[in-house]
Amino acid sequence: MNRRNFLIVTSLAALAHRANAHHGWSSFDQTQPIYLQGVVEDVEWANPHVEIDIQLPAGLKLPADLATRVVPAQQAAIAAAALFAKTKLPARPDRKWEIELAPLTRIEAWNIEPIKKGESIEVVGFTFPKQEGEAIMRAEFLFRGGKAYGLRSSPV
């Protein structure tokens, strides 16, 4: 195979792998919210949505105040208090998770500063049914610096 053909084949393979890695929102189980907190190891601050890899600490626990946390008013339709009351820790043993946040345009509308490696964040969201497959979460809420961001809506 000549060099040009090799580059074309490897480029197409890379694109196919990236497309396969991206999951539609409907593939996540929105009936079983989970809570993650951890240190950011990697960030991809780009479209189609921001992706963050975090490392969970040993002995992760649900925060005692989770059910009473205040969220933005435009999240009322999501019934955050009920969602937080149902939230559990992941049952799977993975300590490294990929977090899929909202599209970059929505993140920018919230004026969320870029998340940096080494920063600690909290998220509530959804993973795959029965927590099978890769350790990936679609974040519904991001908690950072004492603020809550509802990632399904834009700010008022």
Side-chain angles (χ1 to χ4, degrees):
M1 179 181 302
N2 68 32
R3 184 170 187 210
R4 180 175 175 263
N5 288 344
F6 175 77
L7 289 173
I8 291 170
V9 168
T10 55
S11 296
L12 290 173
L15 287 171
H17 172 73
R18 181 74 179 149
N20 186 42
H22 185 268
H23 307 278
W25 295 139
S26 64
S27 61
F28 295 93
D29 181 355
Q30 295 186 51
T31 65
Q32 302 295 318
I34 60 171
Y35 169 85
L36 301 175
Q37 177 273 324
V39 175
V40 175
E41 290 189 338
D42 194 29
V43 178
E44 193 170 322
W45 202 261
N47 284 315
H49 49 79
V50 174
E51 293 181 5
I52 298 172
D53 291 338
I54 66 170
Q55 182 73 31
L56 278 54
L60 178 66
K61 295 181 180 178
L62 281 174
D65 71 336
L66 183 61
T68 60
R69 289 190 182 181
V70 177
V71 298
Q74 56 272 50
Q75 295 299 120
I78 296 172
L83 181 78
F84 295 160
K86 288 176 45 174
T87 299
K88 296 184 169 43
L89 294 175
R92 55 189 300 151
D94 303 83
R95 298 228 359 248
K96 184 173 183 173
W97 280 76
E98 179 182 311
I99 312 300
E100 296 181 356
L101 299 180
L104 189 55
T105 53
R106 190 171 308 144
I107 297 288
E108 289 171 346
W110 277 105
N111 293 318
I112 299 174
E113 292 292 321
I115 295 170
K116 297 185 179 14
K117 290 180 184 178
E119 184 177 341
S120 181
I121 64 167
E122 298 173 87
V123 287
V124 168
F126 309 103
T127 191
F128 302 117
K130 299 180 186 170
Q131 297 190 26
E132 294 176 346
E134 299 173 83
I136 298 175
M137 171 200 266
R138 179 186 65 81
E140 187 77 26
F141 289 94
L142 167 68
F143 301 98
R144 180 178 185 220
K147 290 184 78 175
Y149 300 95
L151 301 178
R152 195 182 298 187
S153 70
S154 294
V156 176

